[in-house]
Structures are given as structure tokens and as C-alpha cells.
């Protein structure tokens, strides 16, 4: 079964708000194996909306509208869909009671506009609105496309999808097949490289499917399997995951849409009771700020140093001036000294250092994107690694931070 | 003239990412009087994409695709649009040179996948990609719909719209009416307050129009005027801007979509030859990392301190242990000491300090969002201010940073 999402609202077309509801709904539908092949955004315009509905029901089994259920003049979705389906609008008693109750509380007379929100399509199942007044509709149609009508305000829409639409759909879905999807996260390898490595796997797979996606400084693979139950679907995913790990396992760092490299590294540090600090030049605190995003990091992170100017490197980290004078500030030696000294100053198990050229201008005749990242790890001799990043100052700094986190991750894995 | 935006990418349909590019593009097009009546999202599927294009060009003068220009197998937009237009794909030399250059730097062999990104539609105008490799296209068509092809990654897409597409469109637009728009940025005031203050202005204005947007921790007003030429349009905008400044001038800090509070503050510091440092606890380096975003900041920012643990506050900032013991770490006194000591250690003109509860857990019986921000400004006695933020750890940290920047901005204005 496939569905099409139609978001209604001129403010969406003008870019005054973003269609976050559509993304959320699509993700929820994917979980139960309803494919969304199209999403459309159309303004509060009766003719254009009806044209969009006509196109949608020709190519989709289910048309889901978001928005236009509110009290104002230009909220017309329910009226237009009803007309389109040759259905009447009737009052949903529960929704009306809720509006009456609120009117009583505020002592305000309720406007006809407000009552409009209690209307439902006569032969549709009502979807209660727990965060508002506009009632939603689930209109199941055996002959043509089925329809779902959802409110536009995210708080109302997301709640209605979660607690009303999804249970109703699961109940009414014809297919008994379950769909399970799992996200694998990779760092230190580009999307094109990963896809090349896994080309055979990706092209030969139909169930599970493997979908690569490039994030800021990492790549994810979404593996989606369908089977008769979760256990067998997960077995299919496990098998393909093993094959993937046997090829590019060294770049894999964790699962899940909401997981992050900093969360993975901090979790490892806490698990192994290892403390960390940093000395940052071009990243100016972004590495520390990034691990600072992870709740509970205070257990392993006492603080650290932002040493932007050479004087600060000498004063805060007690780096001999000859080091910078001899080797330059963007050098292996300076990176090693920064890490070594930061580790010693705060007496941590690990220290990471960043020195390089954030740009736009070059430094010491080295182009923007030239970055040395140093790591002092427990009793090992401190080392530094050279990177070449590009695409501007912010990308260079962000990739430096991700690469620093990845260095720590690799050392932790070696333990 | 009207345009239709077609976002291409299965990850959009699956809701793995949100179509923020579409919203941004729609807003920019509205500024120059191009109406977007429809937005469509379709997956990486050749047949369905071509169907969508066929529908789009029947109802829109200009079809703008976003996404599918990347290196992987399922990036097919350029190939499909070219086929649809009976056009050939040829190599864009500038884009190819950029890919070759990077391959040289990294010493990695470039895959055929990567070279794919340098292809352009033969008779289209190339849109350079300043934040990536995939080149964009502007294909002007006098007989049918014109086409625009943009890359999917927001950093690449937004930059290409801003610095390549918009100038090209303004040049090629049929209409002679010019549209000029100017963004005013405000900090320290909420959207609803600003809109209330300016209610009369906003409601009575039709040309220029005034559109408020709430950003992370600031508010912007977009003033858009249409006239026969830029000069008269700017005159209209100047008049309305004066009225706005006479009402809420103290919250205004600068102009422009790309401008930022950190850029405003750093520019002021450079202008007045004032140096700055920071001591950060809950923000863990985010304040320093934020000013570090601004090119040229090294002239006024030597570095600073991330003092997450109390021991680090004592060791790196030499704060007497009694201070924290007596007043607590989340206190006016600790914030004042952090700022005072940071300023002294690095001998700067200004120091800002952050201590508070990022959450999720409370600290010293104070709820998440309780934040003290200290400022030591030149010869003035250091002071600290209490804030109460909410909406989770990252928002609390981000708002702390913005408030710290705003404190510095206010002191600089008092000079």
C-alpha cells in the first residue's frame, strides 16, 4: 500500500514555516510499511487543492492531507475533500462538547468559526485532537483512494498521528507484513567510497533494502526489511549487517537516527572510566562544545583549553616558544605538544588537540583546510595526524571536530 | 511568473530529513515576486520523477528541482531532466577542476561517481557549488517551462540559491518591476513582543511589506518593497526602517540574512581594538566556538577557558575554593569570579563567563535552565546576570551563548 501526503497552507509555500509534519508522518508510515511516493504542498486555494487531490488519488491508494482544518476563512480542506467525495459534513459530538466546555471555562461566546472545527466527514472515522479543537478524519474507501485529514499545527498533528491515526491504520491495514528498519552510522569514510565498497551488496539486495545517506561529516545506511514478524525481519537485517561490517566495519560506530559520534565516544569514556580534555586552536572550543552536548559528560570531562593565539598556547599550555618558532603553529610538533600539555595540565587519560587553517586566508603559506589533530592517549606516545578539509571555514572546523572524535573512537576500540 | 519546487530524495519521503531547502527557496522567490503554487517531494525513482516533472511543467512556468545531483547510483535528477529536455550532459570544466584539485590534495583516486557531479546540461547556465562538488543548472526555455537544478545538502543548496541562482534569476526575469528586500535582525526581544510593538506598522503596510520570523534566539524582520528601480525601492525601505528603529531600536543589531550576532560583536571588537576571552562551564566552549566562526576573530580573541568541573575552575582560573563552597557553582559570585579571573589571566579587555544548569538533571537544587552569565568589561566592576531558559539542554546552551553575546553588544553600545 502507498500513500501521498498533501500539506495545505500558503505559509508553507511562502517558506514561512517548514513542513515538519510531512516528514514525521512519512517516517511513521514507513515504519508500518506504507510507502510514501509523493508529498505535495499547495496553498489555501480551493481550485488548486482539488486539482492536487485529483492527481494524488490517481497515483496513490491513500491521500493524507495536513492543514486547513482550523477556524479561519481560508481553512477549507475538510469542505473541499467532502465535496470531492460527495460526502456531507456532520458535527462530531465529542469535538463539539470539548469546544462547548472551553467556551464555558473562558466564559467567551463561541464563534461559528470555532464550531467549524467540530465538523467531520459523515462516513469517516473521527480522529480526536488531544492538543486542539479541529477533529481529524480517516475515510476508508474500498473503491477509490482512502483519505486522512490531519490538522496543521505540529503539536496537534504529531499527537493525532501518534495516538489516533497509527493505531487506526494498523487496525485497518490489509497487509499483515511487518517492516523493520535499522540505521547504521559510519565515520571516516565518504558516501561515494562506502557506496563503492558495498556496490554489489546494495545492487543485489531487495529485502532488506540498503539506503545510503550523507550527513554533515558522516554517512548512514538505512536497512529496511519486511517479514511476517519483527524477529524474522531483524534476522534478515542482522545477516546483511554482518556482511556490511565485514567490508567496512572499521568505519561503523553505532545505530539509530538520533545517535551521534559524540554520544558514542562519551558513552565509551564513561564505560571505561577514562577522562578527556582538549586544546583547540582553529576549532576554538567546538570539540569541547560538541562533547558538552552529551548529558552526563561531566563524569569524564573536567574542561579544557581554547588556545587561539600563539601566546595562549605558550601561556595556558606551557608550550616552549621554540616549538612553534621552529616547526610553525600548523605542524605535527605543535599538535603533539598541545595534546601532551593539555593532558598533563588537567591530569586526564586522553587529550585531543587541533591546530590548522580554518580560512578563508592561508596561514604559514598553508591553504585553508590544512589541519593537524593530535592525540595523547593514556601511556602511549602522543601522535598527530594531517588532514585536508575544504568547503569553507565552518565545514573545515566541523570536519576537524568529527575527525578528532573519530581518533578517540579508534583508540578506544584498540583497547 | 510562477515556479514549482520539486524536491527529490527517498530520505525526504521517509522523513529522515525535512525539506528545509524548499522552504528557503520559496521564501527567496517570494522576495522577487515569483509565486510558488506547488511543492512536490518525490523519491529517487526515475519513472515517478519524470511523471512529476511532466505534471509540474504543465502548471508552472519554472520547475526547480532540489537534490539528486550527488555521486551515488540513486542520484539521477540531472540525467532525467536532461533526457526529458532532449539535452546532452557535458562536463563543467570549473567543477571538474575542483574535483581534480581535491583528489590531488587527498591523494585519493577519484571514482567515476565523483566525476558525475561535474556534469551539466549542455545548454544550461552552470550554477557553481561553493560548498560542494555537484554543479547546478539554470535552463531558460522560451517555449516551455524553464528548469533549475539544485543540490540537496542544505549547506550546498542554500549557498547556491543565495549567490548563484538569485542573481541569475533577477538578471533573466521578464518583469520590469524590481523587488528589493532587507532583513533587520533583533536580539533580546521575543517575536510576539516585537510584533505587538510594531502591530500598527505591520498591519498598515502593503509596500513595503514587513514579515517577522523567529530564529533560534533572535527575531528578524524582512522588509520587501517593489518599485521601478532599486533606488526608489530602497527609499521606501529606509522610511519604514526608521519608523521601526524609533520603536524597538535598542534590540536591533544588524542587517542581512547571513549576518549574525557573533559577526556584529566581533566587528565592533575589531573596530574598537578590544580583546575578549571567556570562561565557560555549562556552555563547554560553545561561546568561544561561536565567535570562532567569524573570520578575522584572531585579532581580538587570544583564547579562553572551558571549566566544566569545579576543580578546573579553581586550577585554570585560580578561583578560591571558598567562593564555590560558600555561594555554590551556579551563583552570581562564581560567575563574577570566572569572568574577572579569565580577563586577568589572558589580560584581555573583556571576559564573559557562563555557569548554570544545562540539564536534564537539576544541580544544587536549581532547575535546568538556571544560568548566570558574568561580564568583566574593561575597568568596570564585573557583574553577573541571572537567566531562566528552557526547552532542553541544547536550547539552554544556545540561548546562553546568544545572551552572552548580547551582553557584550550592549556594553559596546554604551561606549
Amino acid at each position: 500500500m502507498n500513500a501521498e501526503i498533501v500539506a495545505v497552507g500558503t505559509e508553507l509555500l511562502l517558506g514561512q514555516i517548514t513542513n515538519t509534519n510531512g516528514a514525521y508522518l512519512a517516517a511513521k508510515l514507513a515504519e508500518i510499511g506504507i510507502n510514501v511516493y509523493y508529498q505535495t504542498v499547495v496553498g489555501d486555494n480551493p481550485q488548486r487543492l482539488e486539482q492536487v487531490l485529483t492527481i494524488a488519488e490517481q497515483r496513490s491508494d491513500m491521500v493524507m492531507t495536513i492543514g486547513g482544518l482550523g477556524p479561519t476563512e481560508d481553512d477549507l480542506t475538510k469542505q473541499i475533500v467532502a465535496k470531492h467525495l460527495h460526502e456531507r459534513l456532520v458535527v462530531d459530538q465529542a469535538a463539539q462538547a470539548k469546544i462547548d466546555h472551553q467556551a464555558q471555562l473562558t466564559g467567551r461566546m463561541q464563534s461559528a468559526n470555532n464550531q467549524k472545527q467540530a465538523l467531520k466527514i459523515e462516513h469517516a472515522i473521527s480522529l480526536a485532537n488531544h492538543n486542539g479543537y479541529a477533529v481529524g478524519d480517516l475515510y476508508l474507501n474500498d473503491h477509490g483512494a482512502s483519505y486522512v485529514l490531519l490538522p496543521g499545527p505540529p503539536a496537534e498533528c504529531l499527537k493525532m498521528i501518534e495516538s489516533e491515526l497509527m493505531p487506526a491504520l494498523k487496525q485497518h491495514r490489509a497487509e499483515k507484513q511487518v517492516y523493520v528498519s535499522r540505521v547504521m552510522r559510519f565515520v571516516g569514510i565518504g558516501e561515494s567510497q562506502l557506496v563503492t565498497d558495498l556496490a554489489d551488496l546494495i545492487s543485489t539486495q531487495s529485502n532488506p533494502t540498503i539506503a545510503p545517506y550523507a550527513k554533515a561529516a558522516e554517512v548512514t545506511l538505512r536497512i529496511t526489511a519486511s517479514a511476517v514478524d519483527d524477529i524474522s525481519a531483524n534476522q534478515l537485517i542482522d545477516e546483511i549487517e554482518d556482511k556490511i561490517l565485514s567490508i567496512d566495519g572499521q568505519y561503523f560506530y553505532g545505530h539509530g537516527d538520533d545517535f551521534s559520534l559524540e554520544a558514542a565516544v562519551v558513552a565509551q569514556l564513561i564505560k571505561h572510566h577514562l577522562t578527556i580534555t582538549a586544546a583547540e586552536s582553529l576549532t576554538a572550543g567546538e570539540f569541547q562544545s560538541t562533547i558538552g552536548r552529551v548529558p552526563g559528560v561531566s563524569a569524564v570531562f573536567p574542561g579544557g583549553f581554547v588556545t587561539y593565539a600563539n601566546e595562549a598556547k605558550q601561556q595556558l599550555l606551557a608550550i616552549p616558544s621554540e616549538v612553534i618558532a621552529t616547526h610553525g603553529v600548523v605542524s605535527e610538533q605543535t599538535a603533539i605538544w598541545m595534546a601532551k600539555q593539555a593532558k598533563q595540565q588537567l591530569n586526564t587519560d586522553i587529550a585531543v588537540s587541533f591546530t590548522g587553517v580554518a580560512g578563508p586566508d592561508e596561514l604559514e603559506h598553508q591553504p585553508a583546510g590544512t589541519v593537524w589533530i593530535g592525540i595523547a592517549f593514556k601511556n602511549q606516545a602522543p601522535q598527530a595526524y594531517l588532514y585536508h578539509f575544504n568547503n569553507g571555514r565552518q565545514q573545515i572546523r566541523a570536519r576537524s571536530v568529527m575527525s578528532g572524535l573519530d581518533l578517540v573512537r579508534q583508540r578506544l576500540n584498540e583497547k
Side-chain angles (χ1 to χ4, degrees), chain A:
Chain A
M1 176 147 84
N2 67 75
E4 175 155 354
I5 298 172
V6 178
V8 187
T10 302
E11 68 279 12
L12 284 163
L13 285 179
L14 288 174
Q16 287 163 12
I17 59 173
T18 309
N19 185 13
T20 50
N21 294 325
Y24 179 81
L25 177 55
K28 299 298 286 183
L29 293 173
E31 287 171 16
I32 60 169
I34 296 181
N35 300 313
V36 175
Y37 291 146
Y38 307 92
Q39 284 194 41
T40 310
V41 179
V42 61
D44 304 305
N45 175 295
Q47 290 71 31
R48 283 195 283 269
L49 174 54
E50 187 149 17
Q51 285 166 18
V52 165
L53 297 178
T54 308
I55 293 170
E57 64 186 12
Q58 287 164 11
R59 61 190 181 188
S60 305
D61 306 324
M62 193 168 248
V63 180
M64 303 192 172
T65 69
I66 299 175
L69 305 189
T72 70
E73 289 305 314
D74 54 13
D75 291 308
L76 294 161
T77 305
K78 205 172 279 177
Q79 288 67 21
I80 288 163
V81 173
K83 170 163 159 283
H84 190 75
L85 293 169
H86 309 295
E87 280 275 330
R88 294 194 317 141
L89 289 175
V90 298
V91 172
D92 178 274
Q93 295 308 333
Q96 184 61 55
K98 188 175 175 183
I99 293 172
D100 296 342
H101 177 67
Q102 180 61 15
Q104 262 179 349
L105 282 180
T106 58
R108 242 193 255 113
M109 269 298 294
Q110 52 180 298
S111 63
N113 282 346
N114 253 326
Q115 302 191 352
K116 185 176 155 206
Q117 300 184 89
L119 295 175
K120 60 161 287 206
I121 293 171
E122 186 169 18
H123 295 98
I125 298 158
S126 292
L127 303 174
N129 188 332
H130 298 280
N131 292 336
Y133 299 106
V135 63
D137 295 274
L138 168 57
Y139 180 84
L140 295 160
N141 185 346
D142 304 333
H143 322 299
S146 297
Y147 272 83
V148 171
L149 276 63
L150 298 163
E156 302 179 24
C157 185
L158 272 47
K159 177 70 178 167
M160 189 179 286
I161 292 168
E162 181 83 50
S163 54
E164 298 289 320
L165 177 61
M166 297 312 288
L169 283 180
K170 284 177 185 159
Q171 205 175 350
H172 290 88
R173 287 254 342 269
E175 291 175 48
K176 283 285 153 282
Q177 197 83 330
V178 305
Y179 289 74
V180 176
S181 95
R182 185 187 303 171
V183 170
M184 297 178 71
R185 307 185 76 95
F186 298 82
V187 67
I189 182 170
E191 182 186 23
S192 53
Q193 186 57 50
L194 185 69
V195 168
T196 310
D197 294 353
L198 305 177
D200 296 351
L201 267 184
I202 293 173
S203 55
T204 54
Q205 281 300 320
S206 61
N207 181 33
T209 56
I210 307 173
Y213 179 54
K215 297 264 165 69
E218 60 178 311
V219 189
T220 64
L221 293 179
R222 177 175 296 271
I223 308 171
T224 307
S226 67
V228 292
D229 56 32
D230 289 8
I231 295 150
S232 8
N234 276 302
Q235 277 166 353
L236 290 170
I237 295 176
D238 291 339
E239 289 163 20
I240 202 73
E241 176 165 327
D242 291 342
K243 291 185 189 156
I244 292 167
L245 290 177
S246 70
I247 298 169
D248 278 328
Q250 75 264 40
Y251 304 110
F252 170 77
Y253 77 80
H255 289 107
D257 266 322
D258 299 337
F259 200 53
S260 67
L261 184 56
E262 60 266 25
V265 167
V266 169
Q268 284 275 310
L269 293 171
I270 292 172
K271 179 170 163 225
H272 297 297
H273 305 290
L274 294 172
T275 56
I276 188 168
T277 185
E280 305 186 58
S281 185
L282 83 153
T283 47
E286 192 165 330
F287 178 86
Q288 297 171 77
S289 170
T290 300
I291 61 173
R293 297 173 64 88
V294 184
V297 68
S298 54
V300 292
F301 174 57
F305 309 84
V306 179
T307 55
Y308 216 61
N310 292 354
E311 299 66 33
K313 293 182 182 70
Q314 287 159 25
Q315 185 190 334
L316 302 183
L317 298 171
I319 295 178
S321 52
E322 317 84 70
V323 173
I324 297 174
T326 318
H327 304 280
V329 65
V330 183
S331 68
E332 178 176 22
Q333 282 309 314
T334 299
I336 286 174
W337 270 91
M338 287 172 70
K340 188 174 67 179
Q341 294 296 88
K343 177 172 181 286
Q344 189 181 34
Q345 297 262 341
L346 285 173
N347 188 27
T348 56
D349 301 302
I350 305 165
V352 186
S353 67
F354 302 83
T355 180
V357 192
D361 305 332
E362 63 173 30
L363 181 64
E364 295 176 348
H365 309 302
Q366 306 202 62
T370 310
V371 178
W372 281 95
I373 303 180
I375 181 166
F377 192 91
K378 303 194 74 181
N379 310 330
Q380 302 171 13
Q383 284 179 285
Y385 302 85
L386 177 63
Y387 297 82
H388 296 286
F389 303 121
N390 55 8
N391 295 330
R393 187 176 176 92
Q394 308 323 337
Q395 269 292 314
I396 289 165
R397 297 174 67 222
R399 290 181 171 277
S400 301
V401 168
M402 286 295 279
S403 304
L405 286 167
D406 192 35
L407 272 183
V408 178
R409 180 188 71 87
Q410 290 172 25
R411 291 297 174 97
L412 288 166
N413 289 348
E414 287 164 12
K415 288 175 88 291

